[in-house]
Amino acid sequence: MNELKLILESVDPVQFWGANNEHYEIIKNAFPKLKIVARGNEVKVLGEEQELSLFENKYNQITSHLEKYSALTANDVEGILSSRKAKSADDASTTEKPAGQGGGGEVIVFGTNGLMIKARTANQRRMVDSINKNDVLFAIGPAGTGKTYTAVALAVRALKNKEIKRIILTRPAVEAGENLGFLPGDLKEKVDPYLRPLYDALDDMIPAEKLKLYIENRTIEIAPLAFMRGRTLDNCYVILDEAQNSTDLQLKMFLTRMGPSAKFIVTGDVTQIDLPKKQMSGLHNALRILEDIPGIEIIYLTGEDVVRHKLVKRILKAYGDIQ
C-alpha cells in the first residue's frame, strides 16, 4: 500500500473540506478504495498508486477552483469529481470528462452585490458558445439544469454590453397542474405569478432600482406568450421559457416574430408538460423539423448539468427524468 501526503497551503482547510466536513464526505465516497486522513492543513492518503494519482489530480482541480473563485460548494466538488471513474482502476481506458465541470468557466455577467453568474457545466458553456454563432438556440433539459438562468444571463450581458436595446422574456400562461381560479388585480398582477421565475433570475443580475426602471421604460419586457402575436421583435434578445407548454401554432407564431437583428432562446423540459390532455406540445415537433437548419442549434442538458441542491439530481433520477 502506498502513501500520499499533501499540504493545503494556499486555501482555507475549512472551505476545502466544507461546513460539517460536507466536502470531505463527498470526496471520501468518491474514492472508496482509499483511506483519507485530514488533520488541519495536512492530508494523508493510503491506497493503490493509480487511485492515489487520480486523487491527487482531483485534489489539485478542487484547490485550483477554490483559489480562482474564493468559493467552493458541494455542487462544485461533485461536478469536479463526476469524472473520477474515467481513470479508475476498474476502467482506465475510457476518456475523462472535462475538468472543472461543476464550477469552471468564465463569468457571463456580474450580478447584484458582485455575484458572479457563470456557466457551471459543459452544456451551459455550450449555450454561451452557441449564442455567439447562432441566432436561435433551443436549450432542452430537466428542472435544475440552469437553462433559463443561463439564457437570462446571456441576455443581460448583451444588454449591458449595448449589443441590443431590449430584452423580452415570455412564457405560456399555463397553470402547472393547479387550478388558480380567478386572480384579482390588473393584467400585470394576473400574469406575474406565471412569470415569477424570470423575475427571480433578473433579481440576481440587475440591481432592484435599475430593474424597476428597465421594466417601466420597457427596456425589459416580461409578458405572456399570447402577447407576442402580430409583432416584429428586433434588436433584442427574446427568451421563451417553458416552451413545452406552447402548442404547435403558438411556437410557430413565436419563432416567426424574429427581426433581422434579434437572438431567440427557447427553453423547455419535455418531461413537464402542463397542457390539457387533448393539446399536444409544439416543442416536440419544433425540435424534429428545425434540427438541421443552419443558424439554429439545439442543446440537450442532462443530469450532469443539475446545479441546484444535490438532492435534486437524485429526485429527478427517482422520477425517471434523468438516467
Side-chain angles (χ1 to χ4, degrees):
M1 185 171 288
N2 300 297
E3 180 179 305
L4 173 68
K5 288 185 178 180
L6 300 166
I7 304 293
L8 289 166
E9 293 181 325
S10 57
V11 297
D12 181 357
V14 175
Q15 282 187 293
F16 186 91
W17 297 118
N20 300 316
N21 284 327
E22 182 181 19
H23 303 165
Y24 173 79
E25 293 299 325
I26 294 171
I27 294 169
K28 187 175 73 171
N29 290 334
F31 290 94
K33 296 179 181 179
L34 297 179
K35 181 179 180 181
I36 304 169
V37 181
R39 290 193 178 93
N41 67 339
E42 295 182 354
V43 186
K44 185 168 73 171
V45 191
L46 302 172
E48 297 300 321
E49 184 175 352
Q50 191 168 4
E51 285 288 299
L52 290 175
S53 177
L54 180 58
F55 177 90
E56 186 173 16
N57 177 267
K58 294 302 178 185
Y59 166 91
N60 290 334
Q61 288 182 33
I62 295 170
T63 303
S64 296
H65 177 93
L66 185 50
E67 288 174 343
K68 184 175 182 179
Y69 298 106
S70 300
L72 185 69
T73 69
N75 277 332
D76 295 331
V77 176
E78 286 188 335
I80 293 169
L81 294 173
S82 64
S83 61
R84 63 94 49 234
K85 291 182 181 178
K87 293 183 180 179
S88 69
D90 298 323
D91 186 8
S93 62
T94 51
T95 302
E96 188 167 358
K97 297 177 184 177
Q101 197 171 350
E106 295 182 7
V107 174
I108 301 174
V109 67
F110 285 96
T112 55
N113 300 319
L115 179 66
M116 293 188 296
I117 312 297
K118 58 187 178 180
R120 295 180 57 189
T121 73
N123 282 321
Q124 289 175 14
R125 290 193 287 275
R126 282 185 63 202
M127 289 178 64
V128 177
D129 294 337
S130 176
I131 205 61
N132 294 328
K133 304 171 187 174
N134 301 284
D135 290 331
V136 177
L137 168 63
F138 285 81
I140 311 301
T145 50
K147 54 190 182 296
T148 299
Y149 199 79
T150 303
V152 174
L154 291 169
V156 171
R157 181 183 68 176
L159 183 65
K160 288 187 174 183
N161 291 343
K162 302 188 185 302
E163 298 168 13
I164 55 170
K165 291 183 178 179
R166 302 177 63 206
I167 296 173
I168 299 173
L169 308 174
T170 185
R171 265 185 162 202
V174 176
E175 296 170 353
E178 301 165 3
N179 187 355
L180 301 180
F182 174 77
L183 292 173
D186 60 20
L187 181 61
K188 182 178 183 300
E189 291 170 328
K190 290 178 189 293
V191 300
D192 271 0
Y194 298 102
L195 306 170
R196 187 69 252 171
L198 300 173
Y199 284 106
D200 289 343
L202 289 170
D203 285 340
D204 280 353
M205 301 175 198
I206 301 174
E209 287 302 313
K210 194 164 191 178
L211 178 57
K212 181 180 178 183
L213 176 63
Y214 278 159
I215 292 174
E216 287 175 352
N217 66 19
R218 298 175 68 81
T219 298
I220 295 178
E221 179 183 349
I222 307 176
L225 178 58
F227 283 44
M228 301 298 110
R229 190 174 300 278
R231 302 174 63 181
T232 299
L233 308 174
D234 197 20
N235 203 6
C236 58
Y237 262 57
V238 187
I239 298 172
L240 170 59
D241 192 34
E242 299 288 345
Q244 76 276 5
N245 290 328
S246 60
T247 65
D248 202 29
L249 288 175
Q250 284 177 324
L251 197 45
K252 177 184 175 183
M253 176 275 293
F254 170 77
L255 292 170
T256 54
R257 301 305 93 203
M258 192 174 190
S261 301
K263 296 266 191 180
F264 275 36
I265 303 178
V266 179
T267 69
D269 177 2
V270 292
T271 69
Q272 292 189 351
I273 297 173
D274 301 311
L275 289 167
K277 290 183 179 179
K278 293 182 180 180
Q279 282 189 307
M280 296 292 292
S281 170
L283 185 57
H284 288 290
N285 189 42
L287 297 174
R288 179 180 60 84
I289 66 176
L290 301 177
E291 63 178 347
D292 296 324
I293 296 180
I296 298 176
E297 183 168 3
I298 301 170
I299 294 175
Y300 291 94
L301 295 94
T302 69
E304 293 296 317
D305 301 295
V306 173
V307 291
R308 289 181 183 166
H309 192 285
K310 60 186 178 183
L311 284 176
V312 172
K313 187 182 294 187
R314 298 171 192 171
I315 291 168
L316 290 171
K317 283 184 178 179
Y319 276 96
D321 291 348
I322 62 174
Q323 298 300 314

